[in-house]
Amino acid sequence: MTVNTKSKGMVEVSEDHILNIPEGIFGFEDYTKYALIDSEYDPFIWLQSTDSIDVSFLIVDPFLICSSYETDIDDESLKKIGIEKPEDIIIMTIVTVPSSGSPITANFAGPLVINKNTRDCMQVILSDNRWSTKVDIMRMLQENGGGN
């Protein structure tokens, strides 16, 4: 599938890199199909809407930032995207890179849950108050040693 991106122009993306997000991402509910595209800044990945060049998110594996990160998601929610066992899950968080020069943050309170078998995905809101929508990535890495 060819996807038009803001950062890289037209990119060919294999079907196994296409995600279906039936309920959308909060604030972007109308956009339900996304492509995973490698970013020029490893380990970050672009989550690019296949419907709009203007809708894309930088995402990252939160466990690379904080090895003690936990998500407690009820089984009923997970069934919405066909999750039957923990091994089927990939967790990613949306990253914000402010133009103001303030810290780069990750949304640990609203992770993306991906069914790695079906490529269906959903965003969940965690009730655990340890996690914020604006976790300072650099500070967290310094405090926790990243995913080590």
Side-chain angles (χ1 to χ4, degrees):
M1 167 183 232
T2 303
V3 178
N4 195 8
T5 72
K6 200 174 230 180
S7 64
K8 295 185 170 192
M10 299 298 279
V11 176
E12 192 62 33
V13 179
S14 65
E15 283 300 316
D16 65 340
H17 282 76
I18 303 296
L19 296 181
N20 179 41
I21 308 177
E23 296 178 6
I25 293 173
F26 296 114
F28 298 88
E29 290 85 359
D30 293 339
Y31 303 95
T32 59
K33 194 170 182 182
Y34 289 83
L36 295 170
I37 300 170
D38 288 335
S39 148
E40 53 279 19
Y41 306 105
D42 190 45
F44 300 99
I45 300 168
W46 286 109
L47 182 66
Q48 173 67 57
S49 167
T50 61
D51 298 316
S52 174
I53 189 172
D54 294 321
V55 179
S56 66
F57 303 92
L58 203 55
I59 61 174
V60 69
D61 178 341
F63 301 100
L64 296 175
I65 298 166
C66 177
S67 60
S68 62
Y69 181 61
E70 293 179 359
T71 59
D72 185 18
I73 306 163
D74 69 273
D75 292 342
E76 285 303 309
S77 294
L78 295 174
K79 284 181 184 175
K80 291 180 184 177
I81 58 168
I83 298 290
E84 296 178 4
K85 53 188 186 247
E87 305 84 57
D88 296 341
I89 298 174
I90 297 171
I91 302 287
M92 299 296 280
T93 54
I94 296 175
V95 174
T96 300
V97 182
S99 57
S100 65
S102 53
I104 298 170
T105 61
N107 181 353
F108 275 30
L112 299 174
V113 180
I114 303 167
N115 181 327
K116 68 180 179 182
N117 298 318
T118 65
R119 296 182 310 281
D120 287 335
C121 177
M122 66 188 291
Q123 185 176 25
V124 297
I125 300 299
L126 302 178
S127 58
D128 189 334
N129 62 8
R130 290 179 296 166
W131 310 119
S132 160
T133 59
K134 297 200 177 294
V135 172
D136 182 327
I137 292 174
M138 293 307 292
R139 185 171 58 196
M140 182 66 72
L141 285 169
Q142 290 169 348
E143 291 175 2
N144 296 299
N148 296 330

